[in-house]
Amino acid sequence: MHKEHIFREYDIRGVYNTDFDNDFARQLGKSYGAFLSEKTGKTPIVTVGYDARLSSPQIVEALIDGFTSTGVKVYNLGLITTPMSYFSMFHMEDVLGGIMVTGSHNPPEYNGFKISMGKTTIFGPQIQELKNFINEDRKLTGSANVESYDISDAYIETNKKDFGTMKDIGVVLDCGNGAAGAIVKRLYNAMGINPTILFEEPDGNFPNHHPDPTVEENVDALKAEVVKRGAKIGIGFDGDADRIGLVDHNGRFILGDEIMMIVCRDLLQSNPGAKIIGDVKCSDRLYQDIEKFGGKPIMWKTGHSLIKTKIKEEKAPFGGELSGHIFFSDRNHGYDDAPYAGLRLIEILAKTGKTIDELLEGVPSSFNTPEIRLETTEENKVKLVKSLQDHFNSTPGDYSVNYIDGVRVSYKDGWALVRSSNTQPVITMRFESHTEEGLKRIQDSMMELVNPLL
């Protein structure tokens, strides 16, 4: 059983046992094996990993059964982070693809599948093509075995070679009871860092807070612990550890595009003129700051697979999203790895001896909202954005409009963004202006258009 809307732009995701069930997971294993075989001309070998969600073990069991019952060998990586799943594509030479079972930062009842083919993730038309394989029950014949494989030692050793021994500047980590708790203590200890760790035990009930550190209310405990211990940095991870949240030494919440500014200023010293990719939800301040420090900013569509692909196409050393997906192709493989991004930030702090607010010196003040999320239906979120696009197409005004991903309207003193989420039945919005009055005017004018459409 499955519903059509689980096939998103860059993954497969929905409410477990409502939008999809174990039979679907089994069918996915069968059909993805056939999909990989057709694309590569080989009998596939795959990796499977999973996050801390309560539904993940039974989903994985069905998924692996689908693979092995149709002749696809599986390396079961166990409870890992999504970045470790991506890492397996680069480390294990005989592997052609992999599936990470994860609900990421969604509520506990959600789960899903992030799917790798070769050294990248599939998205868009490839997701739709895979859906056709599933609906047509296309599969290979044969049988194969499953083998447990511990990827953690190789993952840690690879990072150790990159970073060496680091200065322990005072670090607090918040794992949010997600998959990060399975690796970050060993990883950071290997670099010489002895962090204070909050909510380390993986627990799919998420008893302490929702596993999304890019929402400020979810990092209250992290803020308090950083201030209490006099730490230089607080780092939060989402449920599968591909998204990062940040708190400075004063307990101030740092937005995703501000994290990017810290990295860009450092990277552009050694990569002058480099292209940097940001998503449409990032502030104008980011794009202006990249230019100020000699880089070439590129605004692109939101979505981890979309940004990864754009980084590869543009040969950019770095990119990111407001949502905390941070991608390093400089010294890394270009995928979103929050524990790795945390190490890069610690490295910058240790190298410069500066605090986070000092690293952001000169960034103009701004009045902005965090990402605002309004619930609607899967069908209406698409209709709503189309209605807004039609409105701005037919209504001239003192603004410019970018339709690359939803509707981003730029005024002389700020901007507004409305787009449909790729992962939930939600409309996401963000507003920014140079002044408080401007922010209110821009937000109110857009909401006058949005509210009747909800």
Side-chain angles (χ1 to χ4, degrees), residues 385-420:
V385 170
K386 178 65 165 58
S387 295
L388 290 178
Q389 290 174 337
D390 291 343
H391 168 81
F392 284 104
N393 263 330
S394 59
T395 310
D398 191 18
Y399 49 72
S400 61
V401 188
N402 184 321
Y403 299 117
I404 195 169
D405 186 2
V407 179
R408 181 168 170 139
V409 186
S410 295
Y411 305 90
K412 289 179 180 178
D413 62 341
W415 56 276
L417 171 72
V418 181
R419 60 180 292 277
S420 59

Side-chain angles (χ1 to χ4, degrees), residues 29-43:
K30 293 177 180 179
S31 294
Y32 189 54
F35 180 87
L36 273 177
S37 179
E38 180 172 295
K39 297 299 181 185
T40 65
K42 301 176 182 178
T43 300

